[in-house]
Amino acid sequence: MSQPAITLWSDAQFLSPWVMSVYVALKEKGLAFTLQTVDLAGGQQLRPGWQGFSTTRRVPTLSIDDFTLSESSAITEYLEERFAPPTRERIYPADMQKRAVARQIQAWLRSDLGAIRQERPSDVVFTGGQYPPLSPLAQQQAEKLIAVITPLLCGERRNLFGEWCIADTDLAMMINRLAMHGDPLPPLLADYAEFQWQRASVQRFVARQSRIIS
């Protein structure tokens, strides 16, 4: 059976961590796809002619033949189900409870810690942006991040659940917002994020983004 036509829509600057999450998932699955960009600054996502206009008008948006889906965690879960192991590589844990925790972590990273995302935007990670010290709220959220994640990395795990999953990439992105800015972090978390960042699929996205600013 031939692979369907897959298109991933990204912001033009490749600064979205959620686009990166889907990009990594597609690469890990070994799926061929076309990468298209949307000019968010110019409001292209708000124009009816764009493929993702009828969904959430946000990136990432994924189209597979005539099916269109947005919101990164929804996309990665769909990819895991549609292109399931053992035919394709696994991007979520095989164990049901671990898989649920991975999805919990993804949901948490997207719905909480907003002050960190605001004060340490993704250009810190991708282009070396520098910002003022964390506000009390962002510092409180950083402490929460450390408290929540440290027990999950007990024994100095390089991956959350023994083997890599897509939640590792999402979590490393959040930690690197702080680590790459020079904000204090326990070595356990900083080392974990640095290790995750070296994954080939992540580095391919980083390299693509780097070409935009070079």
Side-chain angles (χ1 to χ4, degrees):
M1 182 181 296
S2 61
Q3 181 190 299
I6 301 175
T7 301
L8 171 62
W9 293 87
S10 168
D11 60 297
Q13 299 301 315
F14 297 100
L15 289 173
S16 169
W18 313 129
V19 169
M20 182 183 74
S21 182
V22 176
Y23 181 97
V24 168
L26 289 164
K27 288 292 186 182
E28 295 289 340
K29 285 285 185 186
L31 295 166
F33 62 97
T34 300
L35 189 61
Q36 299 283 353
T37 60
V38 178
D39 180 11
L40 301 183
Q44 185 182 356
Q45 76 278 16
L46 304 177
R47 300 169 189 166
W50 177 51
Q51 180 73 27
F53 177 81
S54 61
T55 56
T56 60
R57 305 179 190 181
R58 294 173 11 137
V59 296
T61 290
L62 189 79
S63 61
I64 301 183
D65 289 337
D66 59 353
F67 176 67
T68 301
L69 185 66
S70 61
E71 300 303 316
S72 58
S73 60
I75 294 172
T76 56
E77 290 181 30
Y78 176 74
L79 290 173
E80 181 77 328
E81 292 182 16
R82 177 156 182 178
F83 304 99
T87 306
R88 295 287 180 174
E89 292 296 319
R90 187 178 298 282
I91 60 172
Y92 283 94
D95 178 82
M96 185 184 349
Q97 292 185 348
K98 291 179 179 179
R99 188 163 63 250
V101 174
R103 290 169 171 168
Q104 173 184 271
I105 291 170
Q106 286 187 296
W108 176 56
L109 293 172
R110 287 157 173 75
S111 62
D112 199 357
L113 310 176
I116 296 177
R117 292 197 303 275
Q118 182 176 3
E119 297 180 28
R120 297 293 181 265
S122 59
D123 69 293
V124 166
V125 175
F126 295 125
T127 67
Q130 288 293 307
Y131 294 88
L134 293 173
S135 68
L137 176 58
Q139 183 58 50
Q140 184 181 43
Q141 291 185 359
E143 292 168 2
K144 180 180 180 180
L145 174 66
I146 293 167
V148 169
I149 298 304
T150 297
L152 296 177
L153 298 177
C154 60
E156 299 186 0
R157 291 179 182 166
R158 288 189 160 184
N159 301 306
L160 283 167
F161 306 104
E163 294 185 3
W164 175 89
C165 74
I166 191 62
D168 284 302
T169 296
D170 292 348
L171 178 56
M173 176 67 198
M174 179 59 76
I175 295 172
N176 274 333
R177 291 175 185 270
L178 301 169
M180 292 186 179
H181 195 273
D183 297 302
L185 280 172
L188 177 64
L189 268 67
D191 291 347
Y192 162 83
E194 182 179 7
F195 175 77
Q196 294 297 329
W197 216 245
Q198 300 311 310
R199 195 167 185 87
S201 54
V202 174
Q203 283 298 303
R204 287 182 180 180
F205 184 85
V206 171
R208 179 175 291 276
Q209 199 283 330
S210 296
R211 289 197 292 271
I212 297 295
I213 61 174
S214 61

